[in-house]
Amino acid sequence: MIPAYFRSLIGRFFYRSRTERDLEEELQSHINFRADALERSGLTRAEAERRARLDFGSPERFREECRESIAGNFIDTLMQDLRFSVRTLAKHPVFAAVAIVTLAIGIGMSTLMLSVVEDVLIRPLPYANSDRLYAIYARSDSTGQTRVNASGPDYLDFANKINPFPTSPNISRVLRLSGPESANQSG
């Protein structure tokens, strides 16, 4: 058995005229029931129908509330918005071209930035035990800076004084690239 939501969704798109006709009949039956009750209370039929319509309120509001409660309202609204957008863009082709190019550039730049962030920040470094790599900084009292990039000889001084860092061939290779004096020391 098909759940009520899916039956309502199918009816919304494939049997639209029948759904609208059922909605109109429902509206009219409510007005007629109210008019019958008012007629029994002593009003004429014409006056009872007029007062029933006034009591019931706007029929368009009732229709809109019913349409919103039927499944698929989001899809229907989306389709109306897309049709309106296409009509508006077709009337102004220069604006449409500028909007499309702007969207393309924005999407491309966002994709580029997310790719860079993933490669630089999210993906692990391509070294064995990359979670054990350290960044070493020095402090410069003469300039007042508390975080200055340390040089290769600074690293060797740190490694000789305290030995918390395991020796690694990756670090030795990096130090050899920094200058001839560090290459001789890191040997």
Side-chain angles (χ1 to χ4, degrees):
M1 179 162 203
I2 299 175
Y5 176 82
F6 292 114
R7 275 187 284 144
S8 177
L9 185 64
I10 290 168
R12 174 78 174 217
F13 293 107
F14 295 111
Y15 307 110
R16 183 178 298 270
S17 61
R18 182 175 151 203
T19 305
E20 289 293 322
R21 189 174 54 248
D22 290 346
L23 183 63
E24 197 60 42
E25 288 174 8
E26 180 80 16
L27 172 63
Q28 192 59 43
S29 70
H30 283 288
I31 292 173
N32 288 339
F33 285 141
R34 179 69 180 144
D36 291 343
L38 289 172
E39 190 177 16
R40 282 192 301 271
S41 70
L43 295 175
T44 65
R45 183 65 188 177
E47 180 62 24
E49 285 181 3
R50 187 184 76 73
R51 189 167 293 165
R53 282 194 172 84
L54 288 174
D55 289 347
F56 194 76
S58 169
E60 194 56 41
R61 180 185 56 84
F62 171 78
R63 288 185 195 102
E64 286 301 317
E65 287 177 5
C66 289
R67 286 184 192 120
E68 286 177 8
S69 67
I70 296 173
N73 187 51
F74 170 74
I75 297 170
D76 201 29
T77 304
L78 179 67
M79 293 304 293
Q80 288 175 356
D81 289 346
L82 286 175
R83 283 192 296 263
F84 176 75
S85 299
V86 168
R87 282 195 313 265
T88 303
L89 291 176
K91 288 180 185 177
H92 307 286
V94 173
F95 174 76
V98 169
I100 290 169
V101 167
T102 302
L103 281 172
I105 290 172
I107 291 169
M109 292 301 289
S110 296
T111 304
L112 175 71
M113 289 304 297
L114 288 173
S115 297
V116 168
V117 165
E118 181 188 3
D119 288 343
V120 172
L121 298 176
I122 297 173
R123 206 178 275 163
L125 295 172
Y127 303 112
N129 299 325
S130 63
D131 58 331
R132 297 185 66 196
L133 290 177
Y134 295 94
I136 301 173
Y137 295 98
R139 186 177 73 206
S140 174
D141 292 332
S142 63
T143 61
Q145 294 178 335
T146 57
R147 194 169 174 174
V148 179
N149 290 335
S151 65
D154 286 338
Y155 167 74
L156 293 175
D157 289 342
F158 290 139
N160 289 335
K161 288 181 185 174
I162 333 171
N163 195 9
F165 306 111
T167 57
S168 168
N170 291 335
I171 293 176
S172 297
R173 275 188 242 127
V174 170
L175 291 176
R176 284 190 190 116
L177 294 175
S178 66
E181 68 277 350
S182 62
N184 294 335
Q185 293 178 359
S186 65

